[in-house]
Amino acid sequence: MFIRNHPNSQVSRFFQKGFSEISEGIVGKALHALYVKDVIQLNTFYTNTLINMYSKFGSMKYAQHVFDNMLDRNDASWNNMMSGFVRVGWFQGAMKFFCHMFEYGVTPSSYVVASLVTACDRSGCMTKGALQIHGYVVKCGLMSNVFVGTSLLHFYGTHGSVFEVNKLFEEIEEPNIVSWTSLMVCYADNGHTKEVLNIYRHLRNNGLICNENTMATVIRTCGMFEDKTLGYHILGDVVKSGLDTSSVSVANSLISMFSNYDNVEEASVVFNNMKERDTISWNSIITATAHNGRFEESLGHFFWMRRTHTKTNYITISALLPACGSAQHLKWGRGLHGLIIKSGLESNVCVGNSLLSMYSQAGSCEDAEFVFHTMPERDLISWNSMMASHVEDGKHSHALQLLVDMLKTRMATNYITFTTALSACYNLEKLKIVHAFVIHFGVHYNAIIGNTLVTMYGKFGLMAEAQKVCKIMPERDVVTWNALIGGHADNKDPNAAIEAFNLLRREDLLSNYITIVNLLGACLSPDYLLKHGMPIHAHIVVAGFELNTYVQSSLITMYAQCGDLNASNYIFDVLANKNSSTWNAILSANAHYGPGEEALKFIARMRNDGVDLDQFSFSVALATIGNLTVLDEGQQLHSWIIKLGFESNEYVLNATMDMYGKCGEIDDVFRILPLPKSRSQRSWNILISALARHGFFRQATEAFHEMIDLGLRPDHVTFVSLLSACSHGGLVDEGLAYFASMTTEFGVPTAIEHCVCIIDLLGRSGRLAEAEAFVDSMPVQPNDLVWRSLLASCKIHGNLELGRKAADRLFELDSSDDSAYVLYSNVCASTQKWGDVENVRKQMESQSLKKKPACSWIKLKNKVTTFGMGDQFHPQTAQIYAKLEELRKMTRDEGYVPDTSYALQDTDDEQKEHNLWNHSERIALAFGLINSPEGSPIRIFKNLRVCGDCHSVFKLVSKTVGRKIIVRDSYRFHHFYGGNCSCSDYW
């Protein structure tokens, strides 16, 4: 034949050996020149071969030129061109070529249609095109074709439409092993792992021979299960079929499976015994070692690969980069980033995605954003990864904005996109919008999406919506029911949680330890212990969950929550194997539901028993110290934290800041506070709270605005601290403006805590009518905190009528609330209604209620000394009262005039003044001045609110003795120095 016998030896060798062995340069210079010269003499077979050759080299312009000059085209000509467009990534060109076929009256073959579907799949932005082709396929009756059906299976599987995949598969008349494998891949990629195994069993039962890709998919699926027995059973089938290390793809899947089982040794055995390795093999072993924390081994394999395997490419780098996703190993990641740039791989989308993921995992969100915005091309993974990075960094609004930007580009989405977007919804409005998108794009049938929706509606307290989502899901698994049970538990509805658990059992689903943990979390008070808590405990024993560490920890917590701390301690004491989880559970139980001192004793026991404290242990201990206000112990624990290297841990750092703030050391809060751009939302919340507590109200509002300017969204806690600062600082109009913007601008739902702050804000400033009107129009039901706050304001401003109304509401809620009687008695006393005062006291006596006695304490030389009103029992009593008399004369000389309105007794003025000087905080002050070094600050703590007259005395004493006095009452800190207080006399 002409070409085969052509004198040009290179052309002859081209057809004899195959063009895959010829360089592009030789083809371009020799064969193309020959074609241009003798184009008329080439028959269809050889022109088709030329088209195929050019497309394999990525030279589609040459292929198009050959195609356009062909005198006779057959199906192979059109097929080769379509295949070429798809191979080189000219997906839009493939679609235009498809339209070109219709213009010439050519009926596309099944092969062309299948190739075009593949083009739409790979493009990531031609979803509508694929849907139109699907319509064409149905119209032409090609759905029964195995190649077309399989390509559509893969497309819908990639986009998470499992429901559509099932319908498509049923329409394939004679599915082959490739079709079955595509269905399995779809199920595996969308989390339906059980279905993969069901298909595999079906294939084996029907005698169908599984190929390498089928077995590789099954093995990969087994790696997703915790059931190692199943994995080894499948391994037995692989060995029987002779596909173990003799098949590269099967061996690669085995390496990945063993990696998921945390068995790097087995993965290494498979890798070392492979007769042949490809790049995926190296990537798999690199991933296996990196995934199991063997970073040095993964790097060692990489260096070994570069010496022995020349085909190191972008996939290799992408497999290695995740191993560098930590602050410790980020320097290696930056080194690999340099190698990527040097190798010219930075434009590769897979490498860009791996870099983005690496920086995100290492907590370097700014670097991740830089990589994302400089990527020349982004795919679905790029967008999903960047969204996930924003969510992880707490920038939820950024994540949702990215979703909007993504939809504007018409980029294809999948279930991961919307799962991430749903988790970014920071208010109910955003959740409903994203839910609408989920329905619009047809992914609401996806099980993972459904589970996420159930979880998110539960988070916002809309359990009716969560149940509705649960009911319409085509298939519910244990994760679905766990999410529903957890939602009921979080919303304090144990009856509904138990009902959901019973429904789970009716569907013949096996519960797991997460189910039990969520159930136990629903038992929150003594009322539920006998009814639910103990029966659940019995079920745990019967079902064999009692040895599970998480269940043990949850049992300890449940009994403590239900008021039986002794049972919690007993469960812990009889545990044969105590680990950090159970230690933390008993530590937290004693910290929250018992004496705080006991929690600190557990910390000491943990140290003595050699138990490694983690971030949770330190956080609980620091919170306990903050509540007990024992600064010395807090400083000692902070030193230990630094010694063990936990000072940079975000949770421990925030807990340390909070501890110093509660112990009165605002300067130490600033000393360890991260730089603004490095602060998490919780760090900002703690800062605003500390500033508010210590009287720095303007700084608190400035911190809020700085936080907003940096792109962080305030949450429920942020506004509680901010509104509290406005309340204590008298910033009434500003506080009301912040409250209005909370829901309208920032989408934070109004909670009872915010309402209490507003009532306190209006009440302190004397705007009691507005406070009362606000109570009547509150979006949430008023509770005891609301009426107590209003009653306290009535005492300040002497409003007996409104005070009586607030007291009545408190008595209706709880007739045995001693604080309500005391507050109302004080209102009556402040308005000189002594008869009413006497009546209130008689009511208390009739119910055997006693007023909580005021006391103050001070810690000096590692010893806490407590004083009550008029205390006469201290060994230094004589010195203390002599010091008080000295202070009395000193303050009189500075112009002090006693305000006897704060002495709420029906006595003469002289006795009232005497009573004022017997207040516990003044006795503690005299004791502190006697026993502390000259010039050192004095810290006093009081269990009740400091009175106005004592406040005036402390200001004058701080000026006359030249010392800083810090007083923490039940509301806040007062920093007295030089005759002034940090609260500016407004508290």
Side-chain angles (χ1 to χ4, degrees):
M1 296 179 69
F2 175 76
I3 295 294
R4 188 179 297 279
N5 298 319
H6 198 280
N8 188 317
S9 61
Q10 292 177 336
V11 176
S12 177
R13 186 161 59 90
F14 163 72
F15 281 106
Q16 291 169 2
K17 290 191 173 182
F19 56 78
S20 62
E21 298 182 18
I22 309 297
S23 71
E24 186 177 1
I26 294 175
V27 173
K29 292 178 180 178
L31 193 57
H32 184 68
L34 177 67
Y35 161 71
V36 172
K37 180 180 178 182
D38 300 312
V39 64
I40 303 301
Q41 304 176 53
L42 299 181
N43 63 27
T44 304
F45 171 77
Y46 291 115
T47 49
N48 284 342
T49 306
L50 280 171
I51 292 171
N52 199 11
M53 174 197 70
Y54 282 129
S55 68
K56 286 201 173 183
F57 283 132
S59 303
M60 285 307 297
K61 289 183 179 179
Y62 285 136
Q64 185 75 57
H65 179 72
V66 173
F67 179 83
D68 290 342
N69 286 282
M70 288 181 70
L71 297 177
D72 184 24
R73 302 176 185 134
N74 58 14
D75 285 350
S77 311
W78 296 95
N79 291 347
N80 288 342
M81 282 298 295
M82 180 62 76
S83 177
F85 281 123
V86 176
R87 183 183 294 115
V88 301
W90 289 18
F91 305 125
Q92 298 288 349
M95 184 62 77
K96 291 179 181 178
F97 186 75
F98 184 70
C99 298
H100 186 56
M101 293 179 70
F102 282 98
E103 293 174 4
Y104 277 80
V106 178
T107 302
S109 66
S110 60
Y111 181 85
V112 169
V113 173
S115 297
L116 189 57
V117 173
T118 302
C120 294
D121 186 17
R122 293 180 183 175
S123 72
C125 59
M126 292 169 60
T127 307
K128 287 188 177 180
L131 297 176
Q132 290 172 352
I133 296 166
H134 189 179
Y136 171 79
V137 166
V138 174
K139 183 179 179 181
C140 296
L142 288 173
M143 269 311 305
S144 60
N145 182 276
V146 69
F147 298 107
V148 174
T150 302
S151 64
L152 283 168
L153 277 179
H154 193 273
F155 170 78
Y156 282 108
T158 302
H159 292 80
S161 301
V162 178
F163 181 74
E164 194 68 35
V165 167
N166 286 328
K167 288 170 55 180
L168 286 170
F169 187 80
E170 291 174 1
E171 296 181 36
I172 301 176
E173 289 183 357
E174 295 183 7
N176 59 16
I177 194 63
V178 177
S179 309
W180 283 106
T181 303
S182 295
L183 182 62
M184 293 167 74
V185 170
C186 167
Y187 281 134
D189 290 346
N190 288 277
H192 296 269
T193 48
K194 288 184 179 179
E195 291 299 323
V196 176
L197 298 177
N198 289 337
I199 292 173
Y200 175 65
R201 294 187 186 100
H202 171 79
L203 294 176
R204 286 184 58 82
N205 292 338
N206 287 275
L208 292 174
I209 299 174
C210 299
N211 61 22
E212 296 178 8
N213 292 332
T214 313
M215 294 307 302
T217 303
V218 174
I219 293 167
R220 178 165 64 91
T221 304
C222 287
M224 301 177 189
F225 287 90
E226 293 183 2
D227 188 357
K228 295 183 181 180
T229 304
L230 176 64
Y232 284 106
H233 176 76
I234 300 297
L235 176 59
D237 292 345
V238 171
V239 174
K240 288 178 184 178
S241 65
L243 287 175
D244 47 351
T245 55
S246 63
S247 167
V248 175
S249 60
V250 171
N252 292 343
S253 296
L254 285 171
I255 294 171
S256 298
M257 181 185 77
F258 285 125
S259 171
N260 288 335
Y261 291 160
D262 297 332
N263 195 335
V264 181
E265 288 74 17
E266 292 281 6
S268 298
V269 169
V270 174
F271 179 79
N272 293 332
N273 287 314
M274 290 178 71
K275 298 174 182 177
E276 180 186 351
R277 302 186 186 102
D278 60 8
T279 305
I280 297 175
S281 312
W282 289 96
N283 293 345
S284 297
I285 195 64
I286 288 171
T287 303
T289 50
H291 172 75
N292 287 276
R294 302 187 180 188
F295 178 72
E296 289 74 14
E297 283 187 46
S298 63
L299 275 180
H301 281 296
F302 176 63
F303 294 134
W304 180 18
M305 178 183 183
R306 296 191 73 189
R307 289 196 304 270
T308 61
H309 186 76
T310 57
K311 294 183 180 179
T312 302
N313 59 16
Y314 72 92
I315 301 176
T316 314
I317 299 293
S318 299
L320 186 62
L321 284 171
C324 306
S326 67
Q328 179 184 359
H329 297 135
L330 187 57
K331 62 178 181 180
W332 293 99
R334 295 190 189 279
L336 287 170
H337 194 169
L339 178 62
I340 288 166
I341 295 172
K342 183 179 178 180
S343 305
L345 291 172
E346 71 272 18
S347 61
N348 183 280
V349 68
C350 293
V351 172
N353 290 340
S354 296
L355 279 171
L356 198 160
S357 178
M358 177 194 74
Y359 283 122
S360 298
Q361 290 173 12
S364 186
C365 193
E366 290 185 359
D367 286 320
E369 283 192 82
F370 175 79
V371 170
F372 178 78
H373 290 299
T374 56
M375 289 174 71
E377 181 185 353
R378 306 183 193 112
D379 63 6
L380 181 60
I381 297 174
S382 316
W383 289 90
N384 287 348
S385 298
M386 195 65 243
M387 284 176 62
S389 178
H390 283 315
V391 173
E392 186 70 24
D393 202 43
K395 297 179 179 178
H396 297 121
S397 59
H398 288 60
L400 294 178
Q401 183 58 50
L402 208 60
L403 173 66
V404 174
D405 296 340
M406 183 179 180
L407 296 178
K408 286 179 181 178
T409 65
R410 300 187 181 276
M411 171 67 68
T413 58
N414 64 3
Y415 76 98
I416 297 174
T417 310
F418 290 106
T419 301
T420 306
L422 286 168
S423 65
C425 294
Y426 50 86
N427 62 33
L428 187 58
E429 179 187 4
K430 297 292 187 292
L431 176 60
K432 289 186 174 180
I433 291 172
V434 177
H435 191 175
F437 278 129
V438 165
I439 296 171
H440 175 74
F441 285 96
V443 292
H444 52 294
Y445 289 115
N446 182 276
I448 298 174
I449 290 284
N451 293 341
T452 306
L453 281 167
V454 172
T455 301
M456 293 304 295
Y457 277 118
K459 176 182 176 182
F460 289 106
L462 293 181
M463 291 311 300
E465 291 294 328
Q467 288 176 309
K468 190 183 298 183
V469 172
C470 185
K471 286 180 181 177
I472 65 172
M473 288 176 66
E475 182 181 348
R476 292 175 289 272
D477 56 17
V478 68
V479 178
T480 315
W481 291 108
N482 286 349
L484 191 64
I485 293 168
H488 287 307
D490 291 341
N491 288 280
K492 302 178 181 179
D493 191 347
N495 294 321
I498 294 294
E499 177 60 28
F501 175 64
N502 290 332
L503 289 172
L504 176 153
R505 299 176 74 183
R506 285 176 202 162
E507 292 193 358
D508 293 328
L509 291 172
L510 292 176
S511 58
N512 57 23
Y513 74 92
I514 297 174
T515 318
I516 303 302
V517 168
N518 286 343
L519 273 176
L520 290 170
C523 302
L524 302 169
S525 69
D527 298 338
Y528 299 127
L529 184 58
L530 283 173
K531 185 178 180 182
H532 297 308
M534 289 183 173
I536 294 171
H537 192 172
H539 172 76
I540 287 168
V541 175
V542 172
F545 284 111
E546 74 273 17
L547 296 180
N548 182 280
T549 297
Y550 299 102
V551 173
Q552 291 170 346
S553 301
S554 297
L555 274 173
I556 291 169
T557 303
M558 185 273 291
Y559 276 106
Q561 285 180 158
C562 292
D564 194 348
L565 188 59
N566 290 332
S568 296
N569 289 326
Y570 174 77
I571 291 172
F572 175 78
D573 290 336
V574 299
L575 287 177
N577 298 308
K578 300 178 177 70
N579 59 17
S580 58
S581 176
T582 49
W583 274 103
N584 285 337
I586 196 64
L587 172 65
S588 180
N590 281 272
H592 291 102
Y593 306 105
E597 293 83 356
E598 289 300 315
L600 296 185
K601 289 178 182 177
F602 271 103
I603 286 288
R605 281 181 60 184
M606 291 174 75
R607 292 185 66 178
N608 294 335
D609 290 1
V611 180
D612 291 332
L613 275 76
D614 56 19
Q615 62 186 33
F616 183 86
S617 315
F618 283 120
S619 298
V620 172
L622 287 164
T624 303
I625 288 169
N627 293 332
L628 294 173
T629 61
V630 284
L631 179 61
D632 291 342
E633 284 77 359
Q635 290 171 333
Q636 291 171 18
L637 189 61
H638 189 193
S639 299
W640 191 24
I641 287 168
I642 294 171
K643 182 179 179 181
L644 294 178
F646 277 91
E647 74 275 14
S648 60
N649 181 277
E650 181 184 337
Y651 297 99
V652 176
L653 176 62
N654 287 333
T656 308
M657 287 168 51
D658 194 42
M659 180 272 294
Y660 278 122
K662 289 177 177 177
C663 288
E665 291 299 304
I666 190 70
D667 291 339
D668 282 328
V669 174
F670 286 113
R671 183 172 56 83
I672 63 175
L673 180 69
L675 294 173
K677 289 186 177 181
S678 302
R679 290 174 203 160
S680 65
Q681 184 186 56
R682 176 152 174 76
S683 298
W684 283 104
N685 287 349
I686 290 171
L687 174 63
I688 294 169
S689 175
L691 290 168
R693 189 183 293 116
H694 286 269
F696 301 105
F697 313 118
R698 277 294 166 205
Q699 292 92 323
T701 59
E702 289 168 4
F704 173 77
H705 289 291
E706 188 178 3
M707 171 185 170
I708 301 299
D709 292 341
L710 288 170
L712 275 76
R713 293 193 70 85
D715 61 7
H716 167 96
V717 177
T718 315
F719 277 103
V720 171
S721 299
L722 181 66
L723 294 174
S724 177
C726 294
S727 171
H728 288 290
L731 309 176
V732 182
D733 293 333
E734 287 184 47
L736 293 174
Y738 287 133
F739 180 75
S741 69
M742 181 177 74
T743 52
T744 57
E745 184 177 349
F746 299 104
V748 176
T750 303
I752 194 70
E753 294 86 357
H754 305 126
C755 295
V756 172
C757 289
I758 293 299
I759 294 163
D760 195 53
L761 174 81
L762 294 169
R764 285 177 188 272
S765 63
R767 295 160 65 167
L768 292 172
E770 291 178 59
E772 184 180 9
F774 181 83
V775 173
D776 294 335
S777 61
M778 275 171 51
V780 290
Q781 188 70 24
N783 64 359
D784 61 320
L785 295 174
V786 168
W787 297 113
R788 194 172 288 112
S789 178
L790 189 61
L791 187 55
S793 296
C794 291
K795 186 265 177 186
I796 295 172
H797 299 287
N799 190 323
L800 181 62
E801 182 181 350
L802 183 57
R804 184 178 292 112
K805 176 182 177 181
D808 288 341
R809 296 294 183 275
L810 278 171
F811 297 149
E812 288 173 8
L813 291 171
D814 184 2
S815 60
S816 61
D817 183 357
D818 60 327
S819 64
Y821 289 97
V822 173
L823 275 172
Y824 181 52
S825 173
N826 290 343
V827 173
C828 296
S830 65
T831 55
Q832 308 294 310
K833 301 292 184 181
W834 301 114
D836 291 340
V837 171
E838 187 62 29
N839 290 334
V840 172
R841 288 176 179 170
K842 287 180 179 178
Q843 289 180 45
M844 292 182 69
E845 289 175 4
S846 66
Q847 298 193 52
S848 301
L849 298 176
K850 292 185 178 181
K851 177 183 177 181
K852 183 180 180 180
C855 68
S856 299
W857 63 95
I858 183 171
K859 185 177 181 182
L860 294 174
K861 299 177 182 178
N862 291 323
K863 183 179 179 181
V864 176
T865 306
T866 304
F867 298 97
M869 182 172 180
D871 201 307
Q872 299 283 338
F873 300 102
H874 194 274
Q876 291 181 282
T877 295
Q879 294 172 267
I880 290 170
Y881 281 95
K883 191 66 173 180
L884 278 175
E885 188 60 33
E886 180 185 332
L887 295 177
R888 188 173 183 175
K889 292 177 181 178
M890 194 183 299
T891 53
R892 280 189 181 277
D893 291 341
E894 291 291 328
Y896 163 70
V897 176
D899 185 350
T900 56
S901 65
Y902 288 99
L904 303 177
Q905 295 90 19
D906 186 14
T907 59
D908 57 42
D909 286 346
E910 183 178 350
Q911 182 61 43
K912 287 182 178 180
E913 182 181 356
H914 174 76
N915 291 342
L916 288 173
W917 278 95
N918 277 330
H919 279 190
S920 61
E921 57 263 51
R922 300 195 199 190
I923 299 173
L925 173 62
F927 174 79
L929 289 171
I930 294 168
N931 293 282
S932 62
E934 190 72 27
S936 63
I938 297 174
R939 294 179 179 82
I940 298 169
F941 302 89
K942 186 176 180 181
N943 66 333
L944 302 178
R945 185 174 181 269
V946 65
C947 82
D949 192 67
C950 287
H951 193 270
S952 299
V953 168
F954 274 65
K955 284 168 58 180
L956 292 171
V957 171
S958 71
K959 178 181 178 181
T960 55
V961 302
R963 295 175 71 171
K964 187 174 184 179
I965 304 169
I966 303 165
V967 178
R968 197 195 86 164
D969 63 13
S970 58
Y971 285 87
R972 57 185 293 182
F973 278 96
H974 297 268
H975 294 256
F976 299 97
Y977 188 70
N980 297 306
C981 179
S982 58
C983 73
S984 300
D985 299 338
Y986 188 94
W987 80 102

